[in-house]
Amino acid sequence: MFLIVNSIVASLDGLIIGIGLKLAKTKLTKRNIVTILLGNIFIYTLFLTLYYYFHLTFMTKTISTILYLILACLSFKDDKNKTYNGKLTFLECTLLALTHSLDGTLVSLNFVYNYKFIHIISIFSFSSITLLLIGYYFASIFKTTEKKEIISALLFLLLAIFNQFF
């Protein structure tokens, strides 16, 4: 359950990205969605494999808590006013997947030695694309992005607290 909560919180920036795409009147096609999803899967697979292969253990409880606090600060100050014209190109989709999955990749490293790779990659990738699509298709509901940044920052703070005590 903690894995799912982490994936959702790490993917909250996708909500804002989706809203930004819709407000910029960008057409998000099925091909774009698949490209972003496959990009996320590739990025998670690459980084988790490298972390596991080299037996890295720098994601301790203290480092994870510090990371959550940094992500909370970045979420609060984040400015997602990117503009896209019309349709997204393959390169734009790839860059969007890369920027969208960076925080999720760092958070997912906490779980490398506790869960199977397929579970981590699946949960984080699908949370990422799902929240992006929710933001895109329900952009009219989420009119103010400032509140989303505050909610995202508070959720990262909550994860930092949970991480320290559980």
Side-chain angles (χ1 to χ4, degrees):
M1 187 65 173
F2 195 57
L3 180 68
I4 295 171
V5 171
N6 274 275
S7 71
I8 291 170
V9 172
S11 300
L12 277 177
D13 59 337
L15 199 63
I16 296 168
I17 292 170
I19 293 168
L21 289 172
K22 186 68 166 192
L23 294 178
K25 297 184 175 145
T26 302
K27 182 171 171 62
L28 195 59
T29 64
K30 290 179 185 178
R31 186 177 194 177
N32 296 143
I33 294 167
V34 170
T35 302
I36 294 168
L37 178 63
L38 292 177
N40 283 336
I41 290 171
F42 175 76
I43 291 164
Y44 284 119
T45 302
L46 176 70
F47 284 104
L48 293 175
T49 303
L50 290 173
Y51 188 81
Y52 185 80
Y53 180 76
F54 291 113
H55 303 288
L56 300 173
T57 56
F58 62 85
M59 290 304 284
T60 63
K61 187 179 271 198
T62 304
I63 297 296
S64 300
T65 303
I66 291 169
L67 175 65
Y68 287 135
L69 293 173
I70 290 169
L71 289 173
C73 290
L74 291 175
S75 293
F76 185 69
K77 297 183 339 182
D78 202 8
D79 183 21
K80 297 283 183 190
N81 293 329
K82 298 176 183 169
T83 58
Y84 301 96
N85 299 325
K87 294 182 181 179
L88 294 174
T89 65
F90 178 78
L91 180 62
E92 288 174 329
C93 285
T94 305
L95 292 174
L96 191 62
L98 179 64
T99 59
H100 181 41
S101 64
L102 282 180
D103 52 349
T105 301
L106 292 173
V107 172
S108 69
L109 293 177
N110 290 318
F111 304 102
V112 168
Y113 299 113
N114 298 325
Y115 295 92
K116 293 181 181 180
F117 277 17
I118 191 74
H119 291 133
I120 299 168
I121 294 165
S122 299
I123 289 172
F124 274 83
S125 295
F126 285 106
S127 291
S128 176
I129 197 71
T130 301
L131 286 172
L132 187 137
L133 291 174
I134 288 171
Y136 183 79
Y137 288 114
F138 297 103
S140 59
I141 295 171
F142 306 110
K143 292 197 187 226
T144 60
T145 58
E146 184 178 324
K147 290 181 182 179
K148 295 302 158 211
E149 292 164 357
I150 292 170
I151 291 171
S152 179
L154 290 174
L155 287 172
F156 276 120
L157 285 173
L158 188 62
L159 277 177
I161 293 166
F162 281 144
N163 189 56
Q164 258 330 101
F165 297 108
F166 297 109

